[in-house]
Amino acid sequence: MDEQAMITRDLVLRLCANATEFDQGWIEEDAKIVVPFTAPRDTALIERVVAAGRALGVERLLVCRTRAEFAYEPVTEVAADAGSVVHVIRLWGEEPTDLLVAVEDFSAAVLVTATTLTVAAGSWDFLRPLVGPDLESARTAFAEDARKSRAPELLRAAQVYNCLEPGARHARNPRGPGPDLAERLSV
């Protein structure tokens, strides 16, 4: 395995539990704040990610795909500007994929999934350009969106990042009335 592939593997394994979730050990390492949110995959999202990196004073960002089939592709180090990040993403093709954008010292990162789910982890300074100054309101709003949409990936993210209680009533399928007496007797 070449050195660049090893760096990619190390980056993804250190920060991610899977293609769409951060590793709990990495999150707890520096008591990072995690805020999941929904956002369309567009240039505006990338501009917010770059602004978050600049808020930490970084000039370079690390970008790579997180899915297992891309585990041996190199991490791309790019200038902290939206055009550079978008250029790398476009080189991967038209098919949406899960990707990770991290600062060089691994103190903060953003997971952008192939859907609208995005998860950011880091300090308050890093998260503010992404979700606004009130992080707890952003987490609460995400939990409400997950409840209303009942989308499994959003509910899972809300539970994994403690926006919702695990196993709570919202996670269960709604129960309808059971079979009546005639149906039970016929069975």
Side-chain angles (χ1 to χ4, degrees), residues 44-63 78-82 85 101-110 120-131:
L45 175 61
I46 300 303
E47 287 171 353
R48 288 169 39 201
V49 171
V50 169
R54 285 193 184 139
L56 294 182
V58 300
E59 294 180 13
R60 317 270 316 147
L61 295 170
L62 304 173
V63 182
V78 297
D81 67 78
V85 177
V101 180
V103 298
E104 291 176 298
D105 66 357
F106 303 148
S107 64
V110 178
S123 65
W124 183 84
D125 291 336
F126 180 77
L127 297 172
R128 192 168 40 98
L130 286 164
V131 296

Side-chain angles (χ1 to χ4, degrees), residues 11-125:
L11 174 66
V12 173
L13 290 176
R14 185 183 300 187
L15 275 58
C16 300
N18 62 42
T20 60
E21 291 179 16
F22 283 120
D23 179 71
Q24 289 299 321
W26 176 74
I27 290 169
E28 294 165 2
E29 206 170 271
D30 297 321
K32 294 171 187 70
I33 304 165
V34 180
V35 181
F37 59 98
T38 55
R41 287 182 56 115
D42 59 10
T43 308
L45 175 61
I46 300 303
E47 287 171 353
R48 288 169 39 201
V49 171
V50 169
R54 285 193 184 139
L56 294 182
V58 300
E59 294 180 13
R60 317 270 316 147
L61 295 170
L62 304 173
V63 182
C64 66
R65 294 193 262 190
T66 58
R67 292 186 186 173
E69 61 263 28
F70 306 115
Y72 298 105
E73 285 187 357
V75 168
T76 305
E77 184 177 15
V78 297
D81 67 78
S84 299
V85 177
V86 169
H87 176 71
V88 169
I89 295 168
R90 286 192 177 141
L91 289 175
W92 293 335
E94 295 296 316
E95 184 73 27
T97 186
D98 306 312
L99 64 114
L100 175 70
V101 180
V103 298
E104 291 176 298
D105 66 357
F106 303 148
S107 64
V110 178
L111 268 172
V112 180
T113 67
T115 63
T116 60
L117 174 64
T118 302
V119 184
S123 65
W124 183 84
D125 291 336

